[in-house]
Amino acid sequence: MTPRHPLTPGRAGAASAALALVLASAATGSPVSAAGGEGADVPQGTVAYRSVAQFTTAGKPRDLLLHPDSKKLYVGSDDLPGTADVNESGLHVLDPADGKVRSTVGQAPGPTGTLGRRAVRQLLAPLPGDGAVFFYPLRGIGTAKDGDAAAAGAWVPGAAVTYATAGLTPSTVLVAQGPVLSEVDIATAAVKRSVTLEGGDAFAVDAARGTVWFTDIGNRRMYRIDAATFQVAASVGLPDGEGFGGFTEVDPETGAVWVGLDSSVVVHDATGKRLGTLRGAGTDMPRAAGFDATTHEAFVVWQDAGDTSQPGSDNDGTLTVHRTRDLHEAVKPVVLPAMHVQLGSAAVAVEPGGAAVFVSDPVAGRITRLERATSPKVTRNPADQTVTAGSRVSLTAEAEGTPRPTAAWQVSTDAGRTWQAVAGATSPTYTFTAALSDSGRRYRAEFGNDVGVGRTAAATLTVTIADPATGGNGDGGSATTGGTGGTGSTGSTGSAGSATGGSDGGSGGAGGSAGTSGTSGTPGSVGGGSAGATVGGGDHTAPGPGALASTGVAVASLAGSAVVLTAAGWVLMRRTRPRGTG
């Protein structure tokens, strides 16, 4: 039997992870390796469910309830055949993370109040804080919570209860005894009011709209019962079929009624208008459904007919997920191995937000935990960059997904036609120094997880040669511009009456101007000044404005020597010139 209670909506979504990658490398060039990523190429943000655990600790599970307050997983069970030494029937309380049994409530009152081991067939509603209301054969309505030694319970008068679910108020439940629908007090099992129909199999409560929907598979009808008057307000025809009923559930968010019939699910809106029909694979039959108001999705469990002689029977069941607004498939169907209806119907419980889904298999005596996963979705692409050779490069990419995506950087040397993974670039940081050979290469990040692979847009790296005029030297460091040579010092003025003139000014340093010649002393002779010291910056191949000074020869000294030689020559010429005659 399937759970007949809406789960309280909550805020719990698939965890997401943002991964920032900074590319900044110490190696020149781009080594390559095999491509990164773990899954196949799928659209970014694709949702999937994957089996992460199986619990075999609760006998033959018949119904599931994930408590909205305590978050514990309640399991109603029969005894599992083949375990004669242990009676596993009762109410089991499990840790939903690992399936560990917290406690088992196996005792409940019989029709005379005597405690005995009781199987639990349906979980009807959660108790405030913790615990559950449940139905146990043949007419028992019980309550218990984690740690109780025995359940409290009372027996409904009349015929055997054929179906039960949550009531219209917190203190009541609804039970079907064949075609008779009754509202029953939980504590005493006293019948408060009843209505008799032509027939009936299962029903569901739409408390928000004050409606109960009761399906009559044999007569292919569905009755809408007004909660205020507890009378039939309308009836809706169901499609013809073979007469197999799976479930009747109401989406608490929209009020739509989902009915499992034979190998299809027929959906009507809150007024009874037909919205559409869902069909399973092969001979799979819908046997359980749950809803999540956060994701606006419906979860349907399909079980194989279990007769491999029938065409389409493969002995495997399926979990399908549909958007409740338009019934379209929201997730790729998940195969549930060896899930058939020969020994009982499955049940499903959905964690608010859809992060986890629990499916029971009474045939195998197990509960499967499935978790929601999403393929990587890129939230930040690396940007194009232009750098000089020898500079450090930093590229950044981010993606989110569940489970957390791993990353691998890739490089293309042929304008994006082919890609290869950069060896070692699989961690959040990777460093390199740009070389001229890297210019024109494209880089992208590939993110992968169990669901699939997603890639960023490509970023192009442009590497330029450093400009000497602005200080670049093209080999990884910036060049230091040579300083301008200093101005040579002015020669001191010769003292009056001295035979030796003042010293010449010093020559300019590299790039500097020549010093100024010293002033002559006595009119009779001129002394040669000493050369000034060289002052300036680095060695340059092209001379600066003070190029003569950079030769290391003092301009003032040359000028002084020229004056002495010229004067001496004039005197010599005058002495050797013959006197003219007459």
Side-chain angles (χ1 to χ4, degrees):
M1 307 298 280
T2 60
R4 304 298 167 185
H5 55 274
L7 294 177
T8 303
R11 185 177 182 85
S16 66
L19 180 61
L21 301 178
V22 179
L23 183 64
S25 177
T28 59
S30 302
V32 296
S33 67
E38 300 172 13
D41 286 338
V42 297
Q44 294 190 19
T46 296
V47 178
Y49 278 89
R50 55 193 182 118
S51 175
V52 297
Q54 291 186 335
F55 311 148
T56 57
T57 52
K60 182 179 180 179
R62 301 297 296 268
D63 206 353
L64 304 175
L65 185 156
L66 189 61
H67 200 282
D69 299 326
S70 69
K71 313 302 180 186
K72 300 170 186 175
L73 181 63
Y74 279 78
V75 184
S77 298
D78 278 335
D79 188 29
L80 187 67
T83 57
D85 56 331
V86 178
N87 188 335
E88 299 166 304
S89 60
L91 181 68
H92 300 273
V93 187
L94 306 186
D95 184 328
D98 57 14
K100 181 178 179 181
V101 179
R102 297 176 57 91
S103 65
T104 297
V105 182
Q107 301 286 316
T112 62
T114 303
L115 290 176
R117 192 82 187 196
R118 314 292 178 186
V120 174
R121 294 293 174 80
Q122 286 181 262
L123 299 173
L124 310 183
L127 291 173
D130 190 26
V133 182
F134 58 90
F135 159 65
Y136 58 99
L138 295 170
R139 294 177 281 117
I141 302 298
T143 59
K145 65 180 184 299
D146 182 18
D148 285 349
W155 282 60
V156 180
V161 172
T162 54
Y163 200 81
T165 191
L168 295 165
T169 66
S171 63
T172 63
V173 294
L174 296 178
V175 301
Q177 294 164 295
V180 179
L181 176 67
S182 300
E183 184 178 29
V184 174
D185 182 75
I186 292 175
T188 64
V191 175
K192 301 173 71 70
R193 50 183 179 169
S194 298
V195 59
T196 301
L197 307 172
E198 295 181 23
D201 298 278
F203 55 88
V205 175
D206 183 2
R209 297 162 187 82
T211 300
V212 179
W213 291 95
F214 202 128
T215 54
D216 181 358
I217 303 301
N219 294 312
R220 313 303 285 188
R221 309 250 356 134
M222 184 167 62
Y223 304 98
R224 180 163 61 87
I225 299 170
D226 180 72
T229 64
F230 218 63
Q231 296 296 316
V232 175
S235 64
V236 178
L238 296 173
D240 293 336
E242 299 177 4
F244 296 106
F247 59 81
T248 300
E249 295 285 358
V250 170
D251 176 8
E253 181 184 17
T254 66
V257 188
W258 293 54
V259 180
L261 293 173
D262 304 317
S263 59
S264 64
V265 178
V266 182
V267 184
H268 297 77
D269 70 9
T271 68
K273 178 183 177 182
R274 179 80 59 82
L275 295 177
T277 300
L278 308 175
R279 300 193 181 280
T283 62
D284 287 358
M285 308 169 70
R287 282 296 181 264
F291 301 91
D292 179 59
T294 303
T295 60
H296 313 293
E297 292 172 345
F299 299 77
V300 181
V301 178
W302 306 72
Q303 292 176 262
D304 189 76
D307 183 358
T308 54
S309 66
Q310 297 184 32
S313 177
D314 58 6
N315 211 42
D316 292 335
T318 311
L319 172 70
T320 59
V321 184
H322 309 268
R323 296 196 299 262
T324 56
R325 303 292 175 84
D326 56 17
L327 309 186
H328 289 171
E329 191 175 84
V331 175
K332 183 179 179 180
V334 181
V335 175
L336 302 172
M339 175 80 79
H340 58 76
V341 297
Q342 293 298 312
L343 294 177
S345 295
V348 63
V350 183
E351 181 179 292
V357 178
F358 301 86
V359 178
S360 69
D361 181 356
V363 176
R366 68 182 174 220
I367 299 167
T368 299
R369 177 187 170 100
L370 301 104
E371 291 184 355
R372 190 181 187 93
T374 56
S375 67
K377 181 180 180 181
V378 174
T379 57
R380 180 177 179 181
N381 291 296
D384 295 344
Q385 291 197 31
T386 299
V387 298
T388 57
S391 298
R392 290 167 63 86
V393 177
S394 179
L395 301 175
T396 302
E398 295 177 358
E400 60 186 12
T402 305
R404 182 185 180 94
T406 59
W409 282 91
Q410 298 178 335
V411 63
S412 173
T413 58
D414 54 8
R417 288 187 293 274
T418 61
W419 293 87
Q420 293 176 302
V422 180
T426 57
S427 62
T429 59
Y430 172 70
T431 59
F432 80 95
T433 300
L436 287 176
S437 59
D438 294 325
S439 189
R441 291 186 175 185
R442 297 184 182 183
Y443 295 87
R444 70 183 183 186
E446 179 182 85
F447 296 92
N449 62 13
D450 292 346
V451 184
V453 170
R455 301 178 183 87
T456 68
T460 300
L461 179 64
T462 302
V463 183
T464 63
I465 301 175
D467 184 357
T470 59
N473 63 3
D475 63 358
S478 60
T480 303
T481 303
T484 302
T487 302
S489 60
T490 303
S492 60
T493 303
S495 58
S498 172
T500 304
S503 62
D504 294 323
S507 65
S513 59
T516 303
S517 174
T519 303
S520 173
T522 60
S525 65
V526 179
S530 63
T534 301
V535 178
D539 184 16
H540 296 274
T541 57
L548 290 176
S550 68
T551 63
V553 179
V555 175
S557 299
L558 293 174
S561 298
V563 171
V564 173
L565 291 174
T566 302
W570 181 80
V571 171
L572 181 61
M573 289 176 65
R574 185 176 183 192
R575 287 181 178 180
T576 59
R577 179 178 295 177
R579 294 178 178 225
T581 56

